[in-house]
Amino acid sequence: MQVLARLRRWHALIGPVVVLPLLITVSSGMGYRLLRDWGGLSRDQVHGLMVLHEGEWLGPVGETFYVALNGLGLLWMLITGTGLALQGWSRRRGRPERQESAGEGGT
């Protein structure tokens, strides 16, 4: 149980740190693709979104760190979030379901 409590705490601590870079990456990547495919814009017209998406604005060294840390942050959140969700589901499966009271949902 201690391990799961630590995992939950680290998940909660790291989540706010990785949410902004992940939102930037997702929104710029989706915007780029949708504007190119459905908006009919050229690669040059949406290049600014790729600069955001790939972290080019941080320079060559910063770009590499941005991509690596963004990927590691996403993997961490997926793995720990999945573990916590599985733990919650297994706990719920072990409990008997609540019976509805007579006042709820009756005809």
Side-chain angles (χ1 to χ4, degrees), residues 42-84:
S42 71
R43 182 175 286 177
D44 291 336
Q45 290 174 306
V46 290
H47 179 69
L49 289 174
M50 266 299 110
V51 169
L52 277 175
H53 181 74
E54 296 176 344
E56 285 181 32
W57 49 278
L58 295 169
V61 175
E63 177 183 2
T64 303
F65 279 112
Y66 179 78
V67 170
L69 292 176
N70 216 3
L72 289 172
L74 178 59
L75 285 173
W76 170 261
M77 296 308 288
L78 286 171
I79 291 167
T80 58
T82 300
L84 293 171

Side-chain angles (χ1 to χ4, degrees), residues 1 4 8 81-97:
M1 190 65 157
L4 291 173
R8 181 175 285 113
T82 300
L84 293 171
L86 290 174
Q87 175 215 9
W89 290 334
S90 69
R91 279 186 177 175
R92 280 189 215 117
R93 258 192 352 194
R95 293 183 193 160
E97 290 187 25

